[in-house]
Amino acid sequence: MKGNKIAVSLREISKSYGGSKILNNVSFNVWEGEFLVILGPSGCGKTTLLRILAGLDEQDSGDVLFYGQNVSGLPPRKRDLGVVFQEPSLFKHMTVSQNVGFGLKVKGVPKYQIVKQVSEILDMVGLSGFESRMPNSLSGGQQQRVALARALVLKPHLLLLDEPFSALDIKTRQKLRSDLKEIQQKFGITTIFVTHDQEEAFELGDRIVVMNSGKVEHIGTPEEIYDYPKTEFVASFIGTVNVIKSRVENGKVPLGLIPLELPPGSKFNEDDPVKVLIRPENIVVEKSIKKLKSEEITTGKILNMVLLGPMVRIKVSLGHGVSLISARPKAEVSEQKLKEGDKVFVYISKYSIFPEETEILITVPITKILKV
Amino acid sequence: MKEFKNGLIPYKVIDHAIKYSLVGLVTGFFLLLILFPLSSMFVYSSQGGLLGFISKITSPAALFSLKFSLIVAFSATLCNVAIGTIVAHVLTKYDFPGKKALDAFVDLPIAVPTAVAGFTLLLLYGPAGLFGKYFSERGITLMFAFPGILLAHIFITFPFVVRSVSAVLERLEKKYEEVARTLGASGFQTFIYVTLPSIKDGLLAGSILTFARSLGEFGATIMVSGNLAMRTQTAPLYIFSRFNTGDIQGASAVAVVLAVLSFSILYGLKYFMGESE
């Protein structure tokens, strides 16, 4: 929670195109000054949702509220917002400063004020001195900075961004991302950012809304989404994850030789088919048992190891046809002199259990955390 | 000479034979149909020497016809720029029942013989016509006067601006208009500041085509104008009348001016299109 005012409120937004449901009862609030990221695969409805917020599309049902006022049906210019699209979409026949000053000009702001405000905002996005350049003489990153300046110069209450950096190369993208976050904090502007890139979502978002097939799967801080995913989709969409099918046996879920305990409050019956989801970094691989403090330990054999920069990906077989991918820091692996074929102790520090067949939202806490 | 293996003529020789006979054919067409007629016009017009040419071209009726043609062409272009842009906008931006039919009707003036177009206008707007009667009762003459001629030229040249502007509008992505709208621009401001500058090339190309076509219009004009010298006679009608009375030199003089004017327009257009690419 950033401010204590709700800036944007979506209430049961639904939208269909040609018979297929793009958005299905989407509801959430955005706090004033918050940086909210809507994350999801392509086709999940996130862009449609942003267009509805902007007033470029209209929802079939439900309401959009800005500061408690229903803005449904209002055109974009009556909504006091700025939008940055995936492509910079700069007006080709206008210079940088004419592009940035466009919104002020159509508002009837006097010329000397436009010049002043445009140069202030260009300074802020790092494009001082570019005033008289034409858009086609700028790089993709610079064009997107101009587009951002053009939206921000109007000092809107809400900034909407639709995958603004996805067409840029990785270095430019990273630089723009951190600059955007800085600018957003300086302005304190409520921001909704749509992306399919989880790295972007985690770096930028105060909170993340994970969407899939027109529905909200999970809303939470990056930590909550990563560590306590509410649905299997969220767990598997974000980060990498081991998925192992199993069944409930004697109130536990066997994983190789380890009988995993069911999380407290979960409503599984005996013999229910389940999926166990474990993130690679939550699988500890040790040569000596002394370092591990829990009883839920099993033995395994290292099948292969791949160095991924600062981390090493280790594939361990637990026997019984179960093998897991673990990720350990490189330093730890070197210290232990782990190598392929080694017999090791395997310990699972954190896992989630989901029913196998369903994709419905699970409201009970189903993630069990073991204390290391 | 080289012996051909197996007595076969190589493909290269056949290719060359085809190429040069086609080039010869095209050149022949060009000479007979375009270059010879055009140069004979210059020859006829210069029969009385430069002074003769000047006296023919500065005769009041000749000057009037040229001036009148330019005024008609300019007015028709102006009208079609306005109407054509609106039509192109409606046809590319909105979906409505009957859109396809309307779209097909835009090209109708190209298909309809110009004399037929003039005739139908005459029937409708002439003194005895359905609309013409209404106007003539109020003392407004449409046919055999400037308004009738303008109407005919607007009709004949209608597709040019519509088609060239639609082509640009179809390529003009919706996103620019959406950006303008999110920046607070009204529909009208968006059109003036964003759409219009983007379609100006298409608009200019369409205008030049309209102007050139109007300058040379004959069939419909002769039906609706009455061909009255010094009153409703455009340059093509003047050429026709002079020729009919046997004044070949007078006809040629105006024809030369008209041809040079049209050429300049055509090459102006080509130059302009090359520049903008």
Side-chain angles (χ1 to χ4, degrees):
Chain A
M1 192 192 301
K2 274 268 167 166
N4 43 17
K5 264 196 232 164
I6 292 172
V8 178
S9 186
L10 292 172
R11 292 190 184 159
E12 293 173 353
I13 301 287
S14 290
K15 171 90 182 167
S16 299
Y17 275 119
S20 63
K21 216 151 191 157
I22 304 295
L23 294 171
N24 193 355
N25 270 324
V26 172
S27 302
F28 58 81
N29 293 329
V30 188
W31 299 101
E32 187 176 51
E34 184 177 32
F35 200 125
L36 186 90
V37 176
I38 303 177
L39 174 67
S42 54
C44 74
K46 56 191 192 302
T47 294
T48 305
L49 191 61
L50 196 86
R51 291 178 59 84
I52 287 171
L53 277 163
L56 294 169
D57 279 342
E58 209 173 325
Q59 66 272 24
D60 297 339
S61 62
D63 289 316
V64 180
L65 282 78
F66 288 176
Y67 288 97
Q69 266 196 315
N70 198 336
V71 297
S72 308
L74 287 184
R77 65 194 170 97
K78 298 253 168 85
R79 294 193 179 200
D80 188 21
L81 44 78
V83 187
V84 179
F85 294 92
Q86 184 168 0
E87 286 161 71
S89 311
L90 300 181
F91 305 128
K92 289 173 196 159
H93 57 282
M94 297 184 196
T95 62
V96 166
S97 61
Q98 284 169 337
N99 261 288
V100 176
F102 180 83
L104 297 169
K105 185 179 165 185
V106 297
K107 250 188 181 176
V109 175
K111 219 168 191 172
Y112 70 95
Q113 274 188 30
I114 296 180
V115 173
K116 187 167 160 271
Q117 291 182 40
V118 166
S119 87
E120 276 172 13
I121 201 86
L122 280 177
D123 190 41
M124 197 167 277
V125 299
L127 285 179
S128 272
F130 283 71
E131 282 83 354
S132 52
R133 292 273 289 270
M134 294 308 282
N136 59 10
S137 74
L138 304 179
S139 70
Q142 288 168 337
Q143 288 188 23
Q144 206 52 288
R145 283 174 191 269
V146 176
L148 182 64
R150 183 171 64 176
L152 284 174
V153 77
L154 295 165
K155 304 202 166 56
H157 275 115
L158 177 64
L159 180 63
L160 304 173
L161 303 105
D162 185 7
E163 310 218 18
F165 308 144
S166 62
L168 305 171
D169 65 83
I170 189 153
K171 279 266 158 64
T172 314
R173 207 185 305 165
Q174 282 165 347
K175 178 81 178 83
L176 269 171
R177 226 186 262 166
S178 63
D179 286 0
L180 171 67
K181 184 86 183 179
E182 208 173 283
I183 290 167
Q184 190 263 343
Q185 281 167 345
K186 206 180 281 175
F187 272 78
I189 184 172
T190 312
T191 302
I192 300 177
F193 187 105
V194 161
T195 185
H196 66 271
D197 180 342
Q198 41 172 303
E199 197 185 308
E200 208 160 70
F202 276 81
E203 183 174 337
L204 291 171
D206 295 322
R207 280 191 308 155
I208 298 172
V209 177
V210 184
M211 282 186 66
N212 184 35
S213 310
K215 281 181 292 188
V216 172
E217 295 265 342
H218 193 169
I219 304 174
T221 62
E223 292 76 19
E224 283 165 357
I225 293 214
Y226 192 82
D227 289 335
Y228 314 107
K230 271 190 183 166
T231 66
E232 187 196 332
F233 172 82
V234 176
S236 54
F237 183 69
I238 290 155
T240 43
V241 69
N242 291 284
V243 183
I244 302 107
K245 286 184 185 179
S246 189
R247 255 170 212 285
V248 181
E249 270 175 33
N250 306 320
K252 298 201 174 187
V253 177
L255 180 78
L257 287 173
I258 317 173
L260 294 173
E261 273 181 49
L262 282 170
S266 58
K267 290 169 181 149
F268 292 109
N269 298 317
E270 194 65 17
D271 212 33
D272 274 355
V274 293
K275 274 181 185 168
V276 183
L277 275 68
I278 315 163
R279 297 208 183 274
E281 64 272 26
N282 295 332
I283 300 172
V284 182
V285 177
E286 294 277 353
K287 261 192 169 169
S288 139
I289 197 164
K290 283 177 217 159
K291 283 195 177 174
L292 300 172
K293 293 167 198 155
S294 165
E295 290 84 51
E296 288 182 317
I297 294 168
T298 187
T299 53
K301 190 178 153 191
I302 296 181
L303 292 176
N304 63 51
M305 305 205 306
V306 179
L307 177 63
L308 305 169
M311 301 292 277
V312 181
R313 197 175 69 195
I314 307 170
K315 192 170 183 188
V316 218
S317 159
L318 303 186
H320 302 267
V322 178
S323 55
L324 297 173
I325 303 287
S326 161
R328 306 309 309 163
K330 184 172 172 287
E332 185 189 303
V333 172
S334 326
E335 194 192 325
Q336 293 196 65
K337 298 193 178 70
L338 289 179
K339 59 180 187 305
E340 279 172 26
D342 278 0
K343 289 258 164 64
V344 286
F345 294 100
V346 177
Y347 161 66
I348 292 158
S349 64
K350 207 189 275 181
Y351 58 90
S352 315
I353 294 174
F354 295 97
E356 194 190 319
E357 306 296 342
T358 64
E359 268 201 78
I360 52 156
L361 212 82
I362 298 157
T363 45
V364 291
I366 40 70
T367 305
K368 178 172 165 67
I369 303 155
L370 303 166
K371 293 260 160 25
V372 179
Chain B
M1 199 176 163
K2 217 171 122 188
E3 286 275 323
F4 296 133
K5 265 183 204 164
N6 310 325
L8 288 174
I9 303 169
Y11 287 118
K12 230 180 179 175
V13 174
I14 300 175
D15 275 355
H16 273 272
I18 292 174
K19 178 180 159 189
Y20 287 112
S21 37
L22 280 178
V23 169
L25 200 68
V26 170
T27 314
F29 269 133
F30 182 75
L31 290 175
L32 281 175
L33 292 175
I34 301 172
L35 204 63
F36 291 163
L38 281 179
S39 27
S40 66
M41 175 181 75
F42 280 91
V43 171
Y44 275 112
S45 71
S46 60
Q47 265 171 355
L50 187 64
L51 283 179
F53 176 79
I54 290 174
S55 79
K56 284 291 177 194
I57 204 72
T58 51
S59 81
L63 273 183
F64 175 87
S65 75
L66 283 167
K67 207 171 78 185
F68 191 60
S69 266
L70 287 174
I71 291 171
V72 169
F74 188 74
S75 314
T77 307
L78 221 57
C79 292
N80 269 344
V81 160
I83 305 165
T85 306
I86 296 169
V87 172
H89 184 76
V90 169
L91 286 180
T92 48
K93 193 155 182 198
Y94 302 118
D95 262 321
F96 52 90
K99 179 178 167 175
K100 275 203 170 150
L102 199 67
D103 195 82
F105 273 126
V106 170
D107 295 323
L108 206 65
I110 290 176
V112 172
T114 51
V116 175
F119 183 61
T120 54
L121 286 174
L122 207 53
L123 286 182
L124 198 60
Y125 292 100
L130 188 62
F131 296 161
K133 211 170 180 176
Y134 175 85
F135 283 105
S136 70
E137 275 164 10
R138 279 148 189 83
I140 303 166
T141 335
L142 294 177
M143 288 298 130
F144 314 119
F146 179 74
I149 298 167
L150 182 61
L151 209 60
H153 282 232
I154 290 173
F155 177 82
I156 298 292
T157 61
F158 183 67
F160 297 119
V161 169
V162 178
R163 287 300 172 225
S164 54
V165 170
S166 306
V168 184
L169 275 180
E170 265 158 24
R171 269 185 292 138
L172 182 72
E173 286 144 285
K174 213 170 106 195
K175 63 185 183 187
Y176 293 104
E177 284 171 16
E178 288 188 340
V179 168
R181 284 171 62 207
T182 64
L183 291 169
S186 64
F188 181 69
Q189 285 171 323
T190 305
F191 182 78
I192 294 295
Y193 294 125
V194 178
T195 315
L196 203 56
S198 317
I199 63 170
K200 86 173 187 291
D201 288 4
L203 211 50
L204 197 60
S207 309
I208 290 172
L209 284 172
T210 304
F211 192 83
R213 178 71 185 83
S214 171
L215 212 52
E217 203 330 293
F218 181 81
T221 318
I222 200 150
M223 297 294 292
V224 300
S225 72
N227 194 14
L228 309 167
M230 302 293 290
R231 280 176 59 198
T232 62
Q233 201 173 50
T234 61
L237 299 190
Y238 177 85
I239 297 168
F240 177 68
S241 304
R242 289 286 96 193
F243 183 79
N244 268 355
T245 55
D247 178 11
I248 307 237
Q249 215 186 317
S252 301
V254 172
V256 163
V257 174
L258 207 57
V260 168
L261 216 57
S262 305
F263 270 152
S264 327
I265 291 167
L266 183 69
Y267 282 94
L269 175 70
K270 281 207 166 166
Y271 174 76
F272 168 77
M273 297 305 259
E275 282 285 279
S276 69
E277 264 173 29

